[in-house]
Amino acid sequence: MATPTSTSLLKMENIPNKGRGLIATQDLKAGQIILTESPLLLYSASPLFTPAPSPYCHHCFRTLNPSQTFSCPSCSNYNFCSQKCLSIALNSSHSPWTCQTLSHLQNPTSPLLEKPFEVQVQARFIVAAYNIAIHTPSIIQTILSLHGDPNDHDSIVDNAKFLHSLISPFCPPNMNFSAELAAKLIAKERLNSFCLMEPYSPKGPQRSIKAYVIYHKATFFNHDCIPNACRFDYVENGEPGDEHNTDIVIRLIKDVDVGSEICISYFRINKDYLTRKRILMEDYGFSCACDRCKIEANWNDGENNSDLPHVIFLSKFVCDKENCAGTLAPLPPKDGEKSNVLECNFCGNLKVDSSP
């Protein structure tokens, strides 16, 4: 697990045509960890009504050991990987209010039973956000300061009204919760959340999402289809109850000069132009104008593009392990020397970089 990294390596600036972004304050080396950050908010991506219980700890989201599982003493729906995770959760993410509210929402007569999975997951998010607002109001204010606002014609508003109507009867009377607040929170989550993925399997289906996370500073990394940094997480690493296993770690793929913007890709970098264009517009509401997109928008079928810089980049930094296609980044430098070993941020595979 990486140790926390000073944010003095980064500063926030307004980037033309992008909004806020993060800039290097000094020359940085490939493999360097530039940010390690703990979640503001973390919640399960499982719908409220599923045929089987989640195989993951509802606090740290490690894979549960069936022979050593600790259940919430007040309900039968939430399991934890250790007594430590259970104890922490009962005083934070799975507080008595959260437990009671989720139990009501998961009642067999709940109107949520007939709703799409997306709305059931949004219900989890609103409960998690309201719980934070009750116990740590400063965190919810930080989330509300992030980018993203609901559109009056968006389904967000209708979903927020419905969910708030279900959840509000259980809210403390002194809290000024409203459907408008719920809509703002959903809009923030939609544009600023990261995914914690299921463990990699070389023979299994494409990895699903097991949890959603909002981080404060990491959300300000803008997208580029040829990024100079990528995100790592180490959810399954460490001991049960380790409070940092859901930290996000941002590591550089290549050298970055002082004053340059540091960007990540919001998805795996091997996707084709039309797929990238669709995802960015549907999920994030913008069109990418990076150099790679400008070139690929005008490609002709059968054209030989093997000598283009971004094609060379992809051949070097896309993991070729079966069922993976994650992004490779050098291991952190040691004693000031860059490593020639690349680590995949998706499957964890290590590969020696033999290129000059």
Side-chain angles (χ1 to χ4, degrees), residues 46-171:
S46 298
L48 283 171
F49 296 92
T50 55
S54 170
Y56 306 110
C57 173
H58 272 88
H59 177 68
C60 74
F61 291 95
R62 285 185 179 83
T63 301
L64 290 169
N65 180 348
S67 65
Q68 191 174 14
T69 298
F70 299 80
S71 298
C72 170
S74 301
C75 70
S76 59
N77 295 322
Y78 295 89
N79 298 311
F80 301 87
C81 68
S82 64
Q83 183 62 51
K84 182 176 181 180
C85 268
L86 172 60
S87 298
I88 295 172
L90 292 178
N91 289 290
S92 56
S93 59
H94 196 69
S95 67
W97 178 83
T98 299
C99 182
Q100 178 192 35
T101 304
L102 288 174
S103 295
H104 281 286
L105 293 179
Q106 291 174 293
N107 188 292
T109 62
S110 170
L112 275 167
L113 180 60
E114 303 301 324
K115 290 292 183 179
F117 284 176
E118 176 189 5
V119 179
Q120 295 183 29
V121 176
Q122 285 178 342
R124 285 193 186 276
F125 167 67
I126 292 299
V127 171
Y130 281 8
N131 180 61
I132 286 180
I134 293 169
H135 295 97
T136 318
S138 60
I139 292 181
I140 215 67
Q141 291 305 315
T142 298
I143 293 173
L144 289 170
S145 72
L146 301 177
H147 177 65
D149 291 297
N151 185 314
D152 289 340
H153 303 291
D154 200 320
S155 61
I156 284 177
V157 174
D158 292 335
N159 290 351
K161 290 178 180 178
F162 169 72
L163 293 172
H164 180 72
S165 71
L166 295 183
I167 298 169
S168 58
F170 310 106
C171 295

Side-chain angles (χ1 to χ4, degrees), residues 187-222:
K188 304 297 183 184
E189 191 277 342
R190 184 176 183 179
L191 291 182
N192 297 284
S193 63
F194 290 80
C195 304
L196 295 183
M197 306 299 292
E198 291 182 342
Y200 164 78
S201 172
K203 300 296 183 182
Q206 184 172 341
R207 293 167 74 192
S208 298
I209 301 166
K210 60 181 176 180
Y212 293 103
V213 198
I214 297 178
Y215 301 96
H216 184 199
K217 194 146 193 173
T219 192
F220 292 106
F221 286 107
N222 285 318

Side-chain angles (χ1 to χ4, degrees), residues 133-134 171-177:
I134 293 169
C171 295
N174 62 320
M175 301 302 297
N176 295 319
F177 295 149

Side-chain angles (χ1 to χ4, degrees), residues 190-352:
R190 184 176 183 179
L191 291 182
N192 297 284
S193 63
F194 290 80
C195 304
L196 295 183
M197 306 299 292
E198 291 182 342
Y200 164 78
S201 172
K203 300 296 183 182
Q206 184 172 341
R207 293 167 74 192
S208 298
I209 301 166
K210 60 181 176 180
Y212 293 103
V213 198
I214 297 178
Y215 301 96
H216 184 199
K217 194 146 193 173
T219 192
F220 292 106
F221 286 107
N222 285 318
H223 168 83
D224 198 291
C225 295
I226 292 295
N228 51 20
C230 64
R231 168 261 182 100
F232 286 80
D233 63 57
Y234 299 95
V235 176
E236 299 289 344
N237 292 33
E239 297 296 322
D242 174 12
E243 61 184 295
H244 292 294
N245 78 301
T246 54
D247 287 2
I248 191 171
V249 178
I250 304 295
R251 192 193 303 170
L252 292 181
I253 300 172
K254 54 186 179 179
D255 293 350
V256 173
D257 295 333
V258 61
S260 297
E261 184 183 11
I262 298 175
C263 295
I264 62 175
S265 176
Y266 293 169
F267 37 74
R268 282 184 281 185
I269 60 177
N270 68 328
K271 295 185 182 297
D272 63 84
Y273 169 71
L274 290 178
T275 301
R276 301 197 311 273
K277 182 179 180 180
R278 175 181 56 80
I279 293 174
L280 290 173
M281 182 53 65
E282 291 180 357
D283 293 353
Y284 301 98
F286 72 89
S287 296
C288 183
C290 73
D291 292 341
R292 178 184 173 189
C293 284
K294 291 175 181 176
I295 293 171
E296 292 186 5
N298 298 300
W299 269 6
N300 297 316
D301 290 341
E303 185 177 351
N304 185 358
N305 300 293
S306 59
D307 60 342
L308 289 174
H310 81 261
V311 176
I312 296 171
F313 178 93
L314 294 172
S315 67
K316 178 176 178 178
F317 293 110
V318 173
C319 181
D320 58 5
K321 197 170 181 179
E322 184 179 3
N323 198 36
C324 183
T327 303
L328 298 164
L331 293 176
K334 289 186 177 180
D335 301 322
E337 294 295 324
K338 289 189 289 187
S339 174
N340 68 339
V341 178
L342 305 178
E343 179 185 11
C344 177
N345 71 342
F346 206 64
C347 71
N349 188 41
L350 298 178
K351 175 183 177 181
V352 176

